[in-house]
PDB file of all heavy atoms in Angstrom:
ATOM      1  N   ILE W   3     -46.188 -25.377  -3.665  1.00 98.00           N
ATOM      2  CA  ILE W   3     -46.065 -23.908  -3.449  1.00 98.00           C
ATOM      3  C   ILE W   3     -45.013 -23.314  -4.411  1.00 98.00           C
ATOM      4  O   ILE W   3     -43.926 -23.706  -4.457  1.00 98.00           O
ATOM      5  CB  ILE W   3     -45.664 -23.510  -1.992  1.00 98.00           C
ATOM      6  CG1 ILE W   3     -46.701 -24.119  -0.949  1.00 98.00           C
ATOM      7  CG2 ILE W   3     -45.492 -21.999  -1.836  1.00 98.00           C
ATOM      8  CD1 ILE W   3     -48.089 -23.484  -1.065  1.00 98.00           C
ATOM      9  N   VAL W  14     -37.529 -10.505  11.399  1.00 98.00           N
ATOM     10  CA  VAL W  14     -37.921 -12.021  11.149  1.00 98.00           C
ATOM     11  C   VAL W  14     -38.214 -12.129   9.624  1.00 98.00           C
ATOM     12  O   VAL W  14     -37.614 -13.003   9.011  1.00 98.00           O
ATOM     13  CB  VAL W  14     -39.118 -12.364  11.961  1.00 98.00           C
ATOM     14  CG1 VAL W  14     -39.746 -13.631  11.492  1.00 98.00           C
ATOM     15  CG2 VAL W  14     -38.646 -12.560  13.401  1.00 98.00           C
ATOM     16  N   SER W  60     -26.211 -10.240   3.991  1.00 97.00           N
ATOM     17  CA  SER W  60     -26.120  -9.462   2.744  1.00 97.00           C
ATOM     18  C   SER W  60     -25.722 -10.434   1.598  1.00 97.00           C
ATOM     19  O   SER W  60     -26.124 -10.208   0.442  1.00 97.00           O
ATOM     20  CB  SER W  60     -25.180  -8.258   2.808  1.00 97.00           C
ATOM     21  OG  SER W  60     -23.941  -8.699   3.235  1.00 97.00           O
ATOM     22  N   GLU W  65     -27.464 -12.948  -3.521  1.00 98.00           N
ATOM     23  CA  GLU W  65     -27.701 -14.249  -4.366  1.00 98.00           C
ATOM     24  C   GLU W  65     -29.139 -14.254  -4.859  1.00 98.00           C
ATOM     25  O   GLU W  65     -29.370 -14.552  -6.086  1.00 98.00           O
ATOM     26  CB  GLU W  65     -27.300 -15.399  -3.546  1.00 98.00           C
ATOM     27  CG  GLU W  65     -27.484 -16.676  -4.355  1.00 98.00           C
ATOM     28  CD  GLU W  65     -27.261 -17.972  -3.422  1.00 98.00           C
ATOM     29  OE1 GLU W  65     -26.473 -17.858  -2.504  1.00 98.00           O
ATOM     30  OE2 GLU W  65     -27.799 -18.999  -3.820  1.00 98.00           O
ATOM     31  N   GLU W  82     -52.639 -11.080  -3.409  1.00 97.00           N
ATOM     32  CA  GLU W  82     -53.424 -11.659  -4.489  1.00 97.00           C
ATOM     33  C   GLU W  82     -52.624 -12.717  -5.245  1.00 97.00           C
ATOM     34  O   GLU W  82     -53.251 -13.809  -5.500  1.00 97.00           O
ATOM     35  CB  GLU W  82     -53.786 -10.542  -5.410  1.00 97.00           C
ATOM     36  CG  GLU W  82     -54.407 -10.895  -6.688  1.00 97.00           C
ATOM     37  CD  GLU W  82     -55.835 -11.487  -6.516  1.00 97.00           C
ATOM     38  OE1 GLU W  82     -56.744 -10.628  -6.127  1.00 97.00           O
ATOM     39  OE2 GLU W  82     -56.135 -12.694  -6.777  1.00 97.00           O
ATOM     40  N   ILE W 127     -53.089 -20.310   2.020  1.00 98.00           N
ATOM     41  CA  ILE W 127     -52.655 -20.721   3.351  1.00 98.00           C
ATOM     42  C   ILE W 127     -52.065 -19.528   4.012  1.00 98.00           C
ATOM     43  O   ILE W 127     -51.170 -18.807   3.473  1.00 98.00           O
ATOM     44  CB  ILE W 127     -51.535 -21.801   3.137  1.00 98.00           C
ATOM     45  CG1 ILE W 127     -52.102 -23.021   2.377  1.00 98.00           C
ATOM     46  CG2 ILE W 127     -50.962 -22.234   4.505  1.00 98.00           C
ATOM     47  CD1 ILE W 127     -51.043 -24.050   2.015  1.00 98.00           C
ATOM     48  N   ARG W 254     -20.063 -22.726  34.792  1.00 98.00           N
ATOM     49  CA  ARG W 254     -19.284 -23.921  34.150  1.00 98.00           C
ATOM     50  C   ARG W 254     -19.554 -25.139  34.920  1.00 98.00           C
ATOM     51  O   ARG W 254     -19.852 -26.217  34.284  1.00 98.00           O
ATOM     52  CB  ARG W 254     -17.838 -23.522  34.148  1.00 98.00           C
ATOM     53  CG  ARG W 254     -16.953 -24.456  33.378  1.00 98.00           C
ATOM     54  CD  ARG W 254     -15.701 -23.812  32.765  1.00 98.00           C
ATOM     55  NE  ARG W 254     -14.965 -24.813  32.175  1.00 98.00           N
ATOM     56  CZ  ARG W 254     -13.884 -25.295  32.729  1.00 98.00           C
ATOM     57  NH1 ARG W 254     -13.491 -24.862  33.883  1.00 98.00           N
ATOM     58  NH2 ARG W 254     -13.300 -26.224  32.056  1.00 98.00           N
ATOM     59  N   SER W 276     -36.374  -7.517  21.624  1.00 94.00           N
ATOM     60  CA  SER W 276     -37.713  -7.102  21.551  1.00 94.00           C
ATOM     61  C   SER W 276     -38.635  -8.228  22.038  1.00 94.00           C
ATOM     62  O   SER W 276     -39.795  -7.933  22.116  1.00 94.00           O
ATOM     63  CB  SER W 276     -37.967  -6.874  19.971  1.00 94.00           C
ATOM     64  OG  SER W 276     -37.801  -8.054  19.272  1.00 94.00           O
ATOM     65  N   LEU W 294     -55.142 -18.060  36.482  1.00 98.00           N
ATOM     66  CA  LEU W 294     -53.993 -18.806  37.047  1.00 98.00           C
ATOM     67  C   LEU W 294     -52.994 -17.906  37.584  1.00 98.00           C
ATOM     68  O   LEU W 294     -51.928 -17.648  37.043  1.00 98.00           O
ATOM     69  CB  LEU W 294     -53.425 -19.653  35.866  1.00 98.00           C
ATOM     70  CG  LEU W 294     -54.391 -20.466  35.016  1.00 98.00           C
ATOM     71  CD1 LEU W 294     -53.675 -21.243  33.952  1.00 98.00           C
ATOM     72  CD2 LEU W 294     -55.118 -21.489  36.000  1.00 98.00           C
ATOM     73  N   ARG W 313     -30.931  -2.352  37.189  1.00 98.00           N
ATOM     74  CA  ARG W 313     -30.878  -1.338  38.184  1.00 98.00           C
ATOM     75  C   ARG W 313     -29.618  -1.443  39.063  1.00 98.00           C
ATOM     76  O   ARG W 313     -28.922  -0.494  39.417  1.00 98.00           O
ATOM     77  CB  ARG W 313     -32.118  -1.313  39.055  1.00 98.00           C
ATOM     78  CG  ARG W 313     -32.940  -0.034  39.016  1.00 98.00           C
ATOM     79  CD  ARG W 313     -34.054  -0.011  40.030  1.00 98.00           C
ATOM     80  NE  ARG W 313     -34.441  -1.220  40.537  1.00 98.00           N
ATOM     81  CZ  ARG W 313     -35.441  -2.085  40.188  1.00 98.00           C
ATOM     82  NH1 ARG W 313     -36.156  -1.750  39.151  1.00 98.00           N
ATOM     83  NH2 ARG W 313     -35.644  -3.209  40.813  1.00 98.00           N
ATOM     84  N   SER W 375     -28.766   8.495  16.102  1.00 97.00           N
ATOM     85  CA  SER W 375     -30.212   8.848  16.044  1.00 97.00           C
ATOM     86  C   SER W 375     -30.989   7.807  16.727  1.00 97.00           C
ATOM     87  O   SER W 375     -31.986   8.063  17.368  1.00 97.00           O
ATOM     88  CB  SER W 375     -30.599   8.996  14.602  1.00 97.00           C
ATOM     89  OG  SER W 375     -30.299   7.792  13.829  1.00 97.00           O
ATOM     90  N   PHE W 399     -19.760   8.373  19.651  1.00 98.00           N
ATOM     91  CA  PHE W 399     -18.481   8.405  18.949  1.00 98.00           C
ATOM     92  C   PHE W 399     -18.301   7.276  17.959  1.00 98.00           C
ATOM     93  O   PHE W 399     -18.822   6.188  18.220  1.00 98.00           O
ATOM     94  CB  PHE W 399     -17.313   8.294  20.093  1.00 98.00           C
ATOM     95  CG  PHE W 399     -17.234   9.466  20.966  1.00 98.00           C
ATOM     96  CD1 PHE W 399     -18.072   9.643  22.056  1.00 98.00           C
ATOM     97  CD2 PHE W 399     -16.284  10.486  20.689  1.00 98.00           C
ATOM     98  CE1 PHE W 399     -17.937  10.748  22.821  1.00 98.00           C
ATOM     99  CE2 PHE W 399     -16.198  11.608  21.487  1.00 98.00           C
ATOM    100  CZ  PHE W 399     -17.017  11.728  22.595  1.00 98.00           C
ATOM    101  N   HIS W 410     -14.282   8.880  33.417  1.00 98.00           N
ATOM    102  CA  HIS W 410     -13.986   8.325  34.752  1.00 98.00           C
ATOM    103  C   HIS W 410     -14.185   6.820  34.781  1.00 98.00           C
ATOM    104  O   HIS W 410     -13.520   6.098  35.563  1.00 98.00           O
ATOM    105  CB  HIS W 410     -15.051   8.937  35.749  1.00 98.00           C
ATOM    106  CG  HIS W 410     -14.784  10.397  36.092  1.00 98.00           C
ATOM    107  ND1 HIS W 410     -14.049  10.758  37.214  1.00 98.00           N
ATOM    108  CD2 HIS W 410     -15.074  11.513  35.425  1.00 98.00           C
ATOM    109  CE1 HIS W 410     -13.945  12.088  37.215  1.00 98.00           C
ATOM    110  NE2 HIS W 410     -14.617  12.473  36.052  1.00 98.00           N
ATOM    111  N   ASP W 431      -4.507   5.101  29.582  1.00 98.00           N
ATOM    112  CA  ASP W 431      -3.652   6.382  29.653  1.00 98.00           C
ATOM    113  C   ASP W 431      -4.486   7.622  29.432  1.00 98.00           C
ATOM    114  O   ASP W 431      -4.178   8.738  29.956  1.00 98.00           O
ATOM    115  CB  ASP W 431      -2.502   6.375  28.618  1.00 98.00           C
ATOM    116  CG  ASP W 431      -1.481   5.253  29.015  1.00 98.00           C
ATOM    117  OD1 ASP W 431      -1.504   4.831  30.158  1.00 98.00           O
ATOM    118  OD2 ASP W 431      -0.730   4.851  28.033  1.00 98.00           O
ATOM    119  N   ALA W 460     -16.606  -6.963  37.501  1.00 97.00           N
ATOM    120  CA  ALA W 460     -17.571  -7.693  36.518  1.00 97.00           C
ATOM    121  C   ALA W 460     -18.730  -8.203  37.313  1.00 97.00           C
ATOM    122  O   ALA W 460     -18.618  -8.485  38.468  1.00 97.00           O
ATOM    123  CB  ALA W 460     -16.780  -8.781  35.827  1.00 97.00           C
TER     124      ALA W 460
END
Side-chain angles (χ1 to χ4, degrees):
I3 301 295
V14 166
S60 54
E65 180 185 334
E82 171 70 65
I127 300 172
R254 186 145 177 262
S276 62
L294 308 179
R313 240 187 346 262
S375 55
F399 291 83
H410 288 261
D431 291 342

